[in-house]
Amino acid sequence: MENGVGLKKSLGLWSIVMLGVGYMTPMVVFDTFGIVSNDTGGHVPTSYILALAAMLFTAASYGKLVKVFPMAGSAYTYTAKTIHPNLGFLVGWSALLDYLFLPMVNALLTKYYFEALFPSVPGWVWVVLFVGLVTLVNVFSVNVSANFNTLLVLFQILVIVIFVGLVIHGLVKGEGTGSIFSIQPFFSSHMHISTLIAGATVLCFSFLGFDAVTTMSEETPNAVKTIPRAIFLTALLGGILFIVASYFTQSFFPDVSKFKSPDSSAPEIALYVGGKLFQAFFLAGTFTGTLASGVASHTSVSRLLYVMGRDNVLPAKYFGYVHPKWRTPVFNVIAVGIISLSAIFFNLETATSLINFGALISFTFVNLCVIVHFVLKNKQHKSLKGIWTYILSPIIGAAFVFILWLNLNIDSFMLGIAWAIIGFCYLMYITKMFKEETPQFKFEEAM
């Protein structure tokens, strides 16, 4: 808080959950359906169950740490406080790939949607309009961002509910499996665990965002209780939406033979289920999902930059500044908006690759931090409950994350390593070749 003004504590539990769910984008279930259905032999819901189980272990690790460090820095703060400030900086720097590039990805998706609808309008126009709207919403009170995001998430849920209703109507008429209640989408004699795990590794990336709610810690009254609940509810609610939507989609489309383009099946799914009118409504929901994710991710990254600025690992005059009236990190919000404008020049594959690397770095170190803090430092593992809570649970979470690492695209890895090297060079600069300590914000000052 460079100017002595802190973030405003005004967010409630469900506002935070909606921000997390908005970040995750419920409508993404339809974007990945064709790919995963093909990979799993028609068992997308089962892969979602495995992915949810995997993510809940890491969500539990976030919940444990935020009780100890109710600050807005997420994995950056936890690693700096439990392991070492230098490593914390590098984790935070890598996490910026996840948080910083997701707003750009949403701008890119918006550009693609509207270029298809209005091919005569230059793509950069849609990027500028999208980024301008998201930045403007985030400049003002965090409650404005949260309320706007909640409306967008509720609209997505409405689209999914109507979709399910139309599917049920079709199933009753004999479409797909011909049954509202069927075990087929979950289990069949020809399914293989290896393909289900492969599908789950793709779907785990749909859950990116449950961790972002930790960046709201300093804007939440009684964060020690509220944020852990919000993390769990975000992952669980997102998982339920994904499982329910994928179950009915799989019931209507037992295989991908009906799709002309399984890799981009969402528009065809809407067309076959509800016709052209519903397809237009469905695509509006898809855009709404992109906008909600844009608002939530923009909010989150501006808070991570704020904490790194307050720690003075980034210039505090700008990154640690909070507007005295709006109580938001205005300079960070504007900076993220400017970076998001690079969607005019980036392609989707490169931006997505950077996001995946940053997210996996965060997940890995959060699980490690639980073991370091509760076991190695505080010896809270000397009971069966302690062994499960502070050793086995984070190890299982880390093991699932390791599987995701094995499936990470090589380009994602190489780009992520290059970004990490830049961060390491910057760290050497601010510590004068490690002769000085990395700046850290005193925990008590955030309370």
Side-chain angles (χ1 to χ4, degrees):
M1 54 186 83
E2 177 65 15
N3 57 337
V5 179
L7 299 172
K8 184 180 180 181
K9 291 182 177 291
S10 58
L11 291 177
L13 173 64
W14 285 104
S15 294
I16 300 167
V17 171
M18 288 295 111
L19 279 166
V21 173
Y23 196 117
M24 289 166 64
T25 318
M27 294 293 290
V28 76
V29 62
F30 303 107
D31 293 323
T32 55
F33 175 81
I35 299 169
V36 179
S37 182
N38 188 48
D39 290 345
T40 61
H43 299 98
V44 177
T46 307
S47 282
Y48 264 119
I49 291 172
L50 292 175
L52 175 60
M55 288 296 99
L56 284 177
F57 282 101
T58 296
S61 290
Y62 274 98
K64 295 179 184 79
L65 290 168
V66 78
K67 289 180 180 179
V68 182
F69 307 108
M71 301 166 69
S74 195
Y76 157 72
T77 295
Y78 309 147
T79 309
K81 300 293 183 185
T82 60
I83 303 178
H84 196 278
N86 288 348
L87 186 58
F89 170 81
L90 291 175
V91 169
W93 181 268
S94 298
L96 281 174
L97 286 175
D98 174 15
Y99 291 115
L100 202 53
F101 280 84
L102 188 58
M104 182 204 299
V105 166
N106 288 304
L108 270 171
L109 290 171
T110 299
K111 182 178 80 167
Y112 294 154
Y113 293 151
F114 281 93
E115 278 182 333
L117 292 172
F118 306 99
S120 61
V121 179
W124 65 264
V125 172
W126 306 118
V127 172
V128 171
L129 289 175
F130 178 87
V131 171
L133 174 60
V134 170
T135 303
L136 188 64
V137 168
N138 271 282
V139 160
F140 299 107
S141 163
V142 69
N143 296 89
V144 173
S145 302
N147 293 337
F148 183 63
N149 178 83
T150 297
L151 290 175
L152 299 176
V153 171
L154 290 176
F155 181 73
Q156 291 177 78
I157 293 174
L158 174 64
V159 173
I160 292 173
V161 168
I162 294 173
F163 170 82
V164 169
L166 290 171
V167 168
I168 290 173
H169 178 71
L171 293 174
V172 169
K173 292 173 61 178
E175 296 277 0
T177 61
S179 174
I180 299 173
F181 303 104
S182 172
I183 197 68
Q184 183 177 328
F186 293 106
F187 176 81
S188 67
S189 58
H190 64 269
M191 65 189 289
H192 299 285
I193 188 64
S194 59
T195 60
L196 294 175
I197 292 173
T201 60
V202 174
L203 298 177
C204 274
F205 293 111
S206 301
F207 286 86
L208 299 186
F210 74 84
D211 57 310
V213 303
T214 58
T215 62
M216 302 290 107
S217 295
E218 292 180 41
E219 292 162 280
T220 307
N222 198 12
V224 171
K225 288 186 177 180
T226 303
I227 295 296
R229 291 173 62 197
I231 295 168
F232 179 80
L233 287 171
T234 297
L236 184 63
L237 179 58
I240 291 171
L241 287 171
F242 290 149
I243 292 166
V244 170
S246 64
Y247 166 77
F248 283 103
T249 308
Q250 194 75 81
S251 295
F252 200 88
F253 304 99
D255 56 57
V256 297
S257 59
K258 201 170 185 178
F259 299 132
K260 296 177 183 176
S261 179
D263 289 354
S264 54
S265 55
E268 290 185 79
I269 289 172
L271 180 63
Y272 288 131
V273 168
K276 286 191 173 295
L277 180 61
F278 176 71
Q279 186 185 44
F281 182 68
F282 183 91
L283 292 176
T286 302
F287 169 68
T288 301
T290 303
L291 186 57
S293 182
V295 170
S297 57
H298 203 119
T299 303
S300 298
V301 69
S302 64
R303 272 59 180 179
L304 176 56
L305 289 169
Y306 163 71
V307 174
M308 296 180 80
R310 189 178 60 188
D311 281 4
N312 211 26
V313 295
L314 295 174
K317 183 177 179 180
Y318 302 103
F319 293 98
Y321 175 84
V322 176
H323 192 278
K325 180 180 178 181
W326 300 322
R327 304 284 289 276
T328 59
V330 170
F331 293 152
N332 296 344
V333 171
I334 294 171
V336 174
I338 292 170
I339 293 170
S340 299
L341 289 175
S342 61
I344 294 170
F345 313 104
F346 262 80
N347 62 62
L348 189 60
E349 183 178 357
T350 302
T352 305
S353 295
L354 292 167
I355 287 172
N356 293 343
F357 181 90
L360 293 186
I361 286 285
S362 296
F363 291 173
T364 300
F365 278 94
V366 164
N367 284 304
L368 292 177
C369 285
V370 170
I371 297 172
V372 171
H373 179 79
F374 292 100
V375 177
L376 299 183
K377 288 188 174 182
N378 292 288
K379 313 298 182 186
Q380 293 180 240
H381 63 294
K382 297 181 179 180
S383 65
L384 287 176
K385 181 181 178 182
I387 290 171
W388 166 254
T389 303
Y390 303 124
I391 298 179
L392 295 180
S393 178
I395 285 177
I396 294 171
F400 279 122
V401 175
F402 179 70
I403 294 172
L404 294 180
W405 274 116
L406 294 178
N407 287 271
L408 189 67
N409 182 287
I410 187 64
D411 291 335
S412 302
F413 189 79
M414 297 308 295
L415 286 168
I417 290 296
W419 176 259
I421 290 172
I422 294 171
F424 184 78
C425 293
Y426 179 70
L427 179 62
M428 288 195 295
Y429 167 74
I430 63 174
T431 59
K432 295 181 170 57
M433 298 299 292
F434 302 111
K435 293 177 183 177
E436 297 181 1
E437 292 185 359
T438 304
Q440 265 196 295
F441 190 74
K442 289 183 174 61
F443 173 67
E444 293 79 10
E445 294 177 51
M447 301 306 290

